[in-house]
Amino acid sequence: MPHSTDEPRGREADRAALAVVGAGPAGLAAAVTAADHGLDVILLDAADAPGGQYYRSPADGLGATRPGALHHNWRAFVELSARLAAHRDTGAIRHLTGHQVWTVERTGDGDWILHAVTGEADDEARTAVRAQRMILATGAHERQLPFPGWTLPGVVGAAGAQAMLKSGLALPGRRIVVAGSGPLLQAVALSLARAGASVPAVVEAAGYGAYARAPRVLAANPGKLAEGARFGAELARARVRVLSHRAVTEVHGDERVEAVTVSRVDRRWRPVAGTGRRIACDALAVGHGLVPQLELAVAAGCGTRTGPDGTHAVTLDEELRTTVPGIWAAGESGGIGGVELALHEGELAALSIICEVRGGVRRQEARRAVALRRSRRRLRAFAALMGTVHRPGPGWSEWLTGDTEVCRCEEVTAGRIRTACEELGAGDTRTVKLLTRAGMGWCQGRTCGFAVRELAAAHGAGQEPGGPDRRPLACPVKLSTLADLSGPG
């Protein structure tokens, strides 16, 4: 696949024509496509192996004989990995594993410096690379809504349960309820069932019938329809019940999960009184959608927009350019859309950069870019529909009790947030945070931020305008690392 180029490959150890942040599906596709066309690429990723959260692989020592059995479209990853390996061998791609980029800055001559940390916390080292252009493929993290008992051992994120299975070949329990909202739930339930777990139910707070309100979008994405039908059939064969318009409103157990209460919810996700039913289980895998990771994009000044799922995403044009010259984004950074969209966007972003660098592309690449843009529009339309259908309804906060922890890092309960709004006069989320320390712990609101905002708004604080949370650092960094920034990196 790689072909020669007439451009010189004058290399500096810590400088490249293009830096790609993230080696998940979008970042991998971008890096190998750019290298295919002769660009000098540095690929930075926090993990030790490519694939990101989606294509997690078991560690070599676990002896997995068929890692692809745990994945959808594993063939695409194998093909990308082979191209990456070939480019690493020639030096076209420098793949920096274990590198977590914590901030970016622009130099006076227009280059970007990407600051990263490597190593374990006790032995952390800093490094930096420089690039003329940058693609952000930073992925997403899970959105969680709290409920009574969600801090018990045995409650895990839905994506977290899948990660345990893919990377550690481990299950969070033997009888696992999967709950929350979004297409991920069905995929997770199938993975757990195939691995030998008993999955008594998939509990979906939204309703799948809402997809029918957009027949043109469905007709344009027959593959998505087929995938949904296949998931439904496989779940039925595995005897997994799919319960829509329902939510887990309480978890029971002393030392760990023993059962959950599943209640019917109305269209606003308010629990319907008297509908709670108890389901015995020893684990709960729960997730309410994904949230794009935007710290680096926001730090660089990229514009953002609010998506139909209520999350913020990077504003992009059809060539995947952000509002900041020299920065492109691909995959979940531009809005949650799934692996197929991420692969398309990674390739398209790389072709866009090639076109800019060369002042144009050959006819073959131009035709490929047209096809990718067409597929992207189709898949983005489906992603918008998906986000609308599964966006959390405002009534979910009614299943919280006063002592339900909302911010786990600082152990801030729903009662304290309600008191801050109703009795102490907090009129916005920032004041709620200052009064309670909600969202000010280790995760800096990545886990609880959405819930704190929604709960505060439900109790009179009002919805805050504006974009995503601004965090100066994309990951925790030691003060000594910050103090040492005056050095060359």
Side-chain angles (χ1 to χ4, degrees), residues 149-305:
W150 77 306
T151 56
L152 267 178
V155 179
V156 299
Q162 199 166 43
M164 289 174 64
L165 186 56
K166 288 180 176 178
S167 61
L169 305 181
L171 292 167
R174 300 306 304 174
R175 183 175 170 84
I176 310 164
V177 170
V178 179
S181 189
L184 176 66
L185 302 185
Q186 294 195 6
V188 170
L190 270 179
S191 296
L192 297 175
R194 288 170 181 163
S198 168
V199 182
V202 173
V203 182
E204 166 63 60
Y208 298 107
Y211 281 91
R213 298 172 191 162
R216 290 185 179 179
V217 175
L218 294 181
N221 290 276
K224 296 292 185 184
L225 279 177
E227 183 179 76
R230 187 172 66 253
F231 278 178
E234 289 191 43
L235 287 170
R237 282 197 294 273
R239 298 186 177 181
V240 177
R241 291 181 296 165
V242 179
L243 306 175
S244 58
H245 297 296
R246 290 175 174 79
V248 169
T249 51
E250 188 172 3
V251 179
H252 309 280
D254 294 324
E255 300 296 327
R256 61 167 294 122
V257 174
E258 296 173 3
V260 297
T261 290
V262 174
S263 302
R264 180 180 292 277
V265 294
D266 64 15
R267 289 187 175 183
R268 293 172 57 83
W269 290 28
R270 293 175 300 195
V272 178
T275 62
R277 298 289 182 272
R278 197 168 170 128
I279 298 178
C281 59
D282 61 6
L284 169 67
V286 61
H288 297 85
L290 301 174
V291 179
Q293 295 198 173
L294 303 181
E295 286 87 352
L296 296 178
V298 172
C302 299
T304 61
R305 61 180 177 82

Side-chain angles (χ1 to χ4, degrees), residues 15-322:
R15 191 169 189 271
L18 172 66
V20 179
V21 183
L28 267 182
V32 300
T33 301
D36 286 348
H37 292 81
L39 278 195
D40 169 23
V41 179
I42 292 179
L43 174 62
L44 302 101
D45 192 61
D48 294 330
Q53 298 294 330
Y54 188 84
Y55 287 121
R56 277 176 175 263
S57 302
D60 293 339
L62 294 176
T65 55
R66 294 191 308 122
L70 300 172
H71 293 270
H72 174 69
N73 200 7
W74 181 253
R75 183 181 301 175
F77 176 63
V78 171
E79 189 262 342
L80 286 172
S81 297
R83 289 165 65 189
L84 174 65
H87 284 308
R88 279 193 308 225
D89 289 345
T90 64
I93 294 179
R94 283 163 280 173
H95 182 195
L96 306 182
T97 61
H99 281 60
Q100 189 152 14
V101 180
W102 56 271
T103 195
V104 296
E105 62 176 330
R106 193 157 210 170
T107 65
D109 56 4
D111 278 3
W112 290 96
I113 296 180
L114 297 87
H115 297 277
V117 290
T118 64
E120 300 297 329
D122 294 338
D123 191 27
E124 181 180 282
R126 74 176 182 89
T127 187
V129 300
R130 185 170 176 144
Q132 294 171 284
R133 295 170 180 80
M134 182 166 56
I135 295 178
L136 299 177
T138 46
H141 60 81
E142 218 166 359
R143 176 164 58 192
Q144 295 291 349
L145 302 181
F147 43 83
W150 77 306
T151 56
L152 267 178
V155 179
V156 299
Q162 199 166 43
M164 289 174 64
L165 186 56
K166 288 180 176 178
S167 61
L169 305 181
L171 292 167
R174 300 306 304 174
R175 183 175 170 84
I176 310 164
V177 170
V178 179
S181 189
L184 176 66
L185 302 185
Q186 294 195 6
V188 170
L190 270 179
S191 296
L192 297 175
R194 288 170 181 163
S198 168
V199 182
V202 173
V203 182
E204 166 63 60
Y208 298 107
Y211 281 91
R213 298 172 191 162
R216 290 185 179 179
V217 175
L218 294 181
N221 290 276
K224 296 292 185 184
L225 279 177
E227 183 179 76
R230 187 172 66 253
F231 278 178
E234 289 191 43
L235 287 170
R237 282 197 294 273
R239 298 186 177 181
V240 177
R241 291 181 296 165
V242 179
L243 306 175
S244 58
H245 297 296
R246 290 175 174 79
V248 169
T249 51
E250 188 172 3
V251 179
H252 309 280
D254 294 324
E255 300 296 327
R256 61 167 294 122
V257 174
E258 296 173 3
V260 297
T261 290
V262 174
S263 302
R264 180 180 292 277
V265 294
D266 64 15
R267 289 187 175 183
R268 293 172 57 83
W269 290 28
R270 293 175 300 195
V272 178
T275 62
R277 298 289 182 272
R278 197 168 170 128
I279 298 178
C281 59
D282 61 6
L284 169 67
V286 61
H288 297 85
L290 301 174
V291 179
Q293 295 198 173
L294 303 181
E295 286 87 352
L296 296 178
V298 172
C302 299
T304 61
R305 61 180 177 82
T306 304
D309 58 353
T311 65
H312 298 283
V314 178
T315 302
L316 300 171
D317 66 11
E318 283 227 317
E319 302 299 325
L320 283 307
R321 289 181 291 238
T322 70

